C-alpha cells in the first residue's frame, strides 16, 4: 500500500511538473516523422492483466517495410530480439529519446492509472513472455516498473526475456522501499551517464 501511495503522489507531481516538456516532445515527434506522438504497446501487468504501455514513438511508422528493405533481421536464430547499432527503424529524434530514456516518460500516466509502478520488473512485450508461462506468472505478483534492476544493470544490452529473469525475480524476492530508493538513484545516474 505504501508503494502505491508513493507511486500516485510522485506520479501526479511528475506529470504536472513535466507537462510542458512532455508537450514539447510530443510536438517534436509529430513534426519530425509521420504518425502519432504516443505508441501504446500491449504488456502484461499485475495478475497478468494486459494494458497499453505508453511511450513516445521513437520508430518510423513504416518500420516493418524499412527492415525488409534493409535486409536486417528483427529476431535471431535463438528467438532473441536483435538490436542493431544503426537500426533504420529508429528516427533521428527517436535515437535521442531512447538514449536519454525520454521515450518512457508517458508511462507516468500508466503509473497514475495503477497499471505500472515507478520501479518494478520490466514491462516485457507479450511475445517475449508467452513462451515462458512460469516466468510470466512469477512476475505477475507485482506491477511492472518504469525502471528497475534490469534497467540499471544491463540497460541497452541485447538480451531476451530469460536473461532478465534473474533481475526481475531478485527484485520481487527482495522488494523494499530502500531497494526502490537505490534503484531510483542508479537510474538517475544511468540517465546522466548513459552507456552509449
Amino acid at each position: 500500500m505504501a508503494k502505491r501511495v508513493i507511486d500516485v503522489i510522485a506520479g501526479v507531481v511528475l506529470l504536472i511538473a513535466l507537462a510542458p516538456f512532455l508537450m514539447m516532445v510530443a510536438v517534436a515527434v509529430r513534426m519530425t516523422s509521420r504518425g502519432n506522438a504516443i505508441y501504446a504497446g500491449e504488456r502484461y501487468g499485475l495478475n497478468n492483466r494486459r494494458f497499453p504501455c505508453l511511450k513516445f514513438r521513437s520508430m518510423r511508422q513504416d518500420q516493418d517495410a524499412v527492415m525488409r528493405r534493409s535486409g536486417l533481421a528483427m529476431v535471431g536464430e535463438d528467438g532473441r530480439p536483435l538490436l542493431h547499432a544503426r537500426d533504420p527503424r529508429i528516427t533521428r529524434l527517436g535515437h535521442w529519446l531512447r538514449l536519454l530514456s525520454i521515450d518512457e516518460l508517458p508511462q507516468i500516466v500508466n503509473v497514475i492509472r495503477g497499471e505500472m509502478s515507478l520501479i518494478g520488473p520490466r514491462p516485457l512485450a507479450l511475445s517475449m513472455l508467452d513462451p515462458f508461462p512460469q516466468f510470466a506468472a512469477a512476475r505477475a505478483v507485482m506491477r511492472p516498473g518504469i525502471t528497475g534492476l534490469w534497467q540499471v544493470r544491463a540497460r541497452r544490452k541485447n538480451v531476451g526475456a530469460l536473461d532478465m529473469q534473474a533481475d526481475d525475480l531478485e527484485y520481487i524476492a527482495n522488494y523494499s522501499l530502500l531497494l526502490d530508493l537505490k534503484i531510483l538513484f542508479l537510474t538517475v545516474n544511468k540517465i546522466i551517464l548513459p552507456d552509449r
Side-chain angles (χ1 to χ4, degrees):
M1 184 175 290
K3 182 176 175 68
R4 180 66 190 137
V5 170
I6 292 170
D7 280 341
V8 172
I9 294 173
V12 170
V13 170
L14 283 171
L15 190 60
I16 293 172
L18 294 174
F21 177 70
L22 297 177
M23 290 290 289
M24 287 190 294
V25 174
V27 170
V29 171
R30 288 296 303 271
M31 290 181 65
T32 55
S33 61
R34 281 191 288 175
N36 296 327
I38 300 293
Y39 167 77
E42 198 172 25
R43 300 289 188 267
Y44 286 123
L46 183 65
N47 299 322
N48 276 332
R49 293 194 187 103
R50 297 185 181 191
F51 70 95
C53 185
L54 306 177
K55 287 188 174 187
F56 282 121
R57 182 176 53 80
S58 59
M59 289 191 176
R60 292 175 48 160
Q61 194 173 26
D62 58 345
Q63 57 181 280
D64 293 335
V66 169
M67 287 300 280
R68 284 195 297 270
R69 288 196 301 268
S70 69
L72 296 174
M74 294 177 63
V75 180
E77 293 180 1
D78 59 356
R80 176 176 299 187
L82 294 177
L83 300 180
H84 302 282
R86 296 188 178 180
D87 192 326
R89 298 171 299 171
I90 301 175
T91 65
R92 288 183 181 181
L93 177 61
H95 169 76
W96 291 104
L97 294 180
R98 288 178 169 219
L99 187 65
L100 300 173
S101 298
I102 294 171
D103 63 320
E104 297 182 352
L105 288 179
Q107 291 170 16
I108 296 171
V109 175
N110 290 121
V111 172
I112 295 171
R113 294 197 307 209
E115 297 157 339
M116 293 182 65
S117 179
L118 291 174
I119 299 165
R122 185 161 176 79
L124 298 177
L126 305 189
S127 59
M128 295 182 74
L129 284 176
D130 285 343
F132 311 106
Q134 291 181 324
F135 180 31
R139 300 171 87 256
V141 300
M142 294 193 80
R143 292 178 178 87
I146 297 178
T147 186
L149 275 182
W150 179 83
Q151 289 94 323
V152 298
R153 286 180 173 172
R155 198 165 179 250
R156 305 186 205 290
K157 291 184 179 178
N158 186 23
V159 298
L162 289 180
D163 298 301
M164 301 175 189
Q165 180 174 356
D167 287 336
D168 285 340
L169 296 184
E170 179 183 337
Y171 173 80
I172 293 168
N174 299 292
Y175 165 72
S176 70
L177 293 177
L178 185 60
L179 177 59
D180 275 6
L181 187 62
K182 178 181 178 182
I183 292 171
L184 181 61
F185 173 79
L186 292 173
T187 299
V188 172
N189 186 57
K190 282 282 187 178
I191 293 171
I192 295 173
L193 299 172
D195 298 336
R196 58 178 174 85

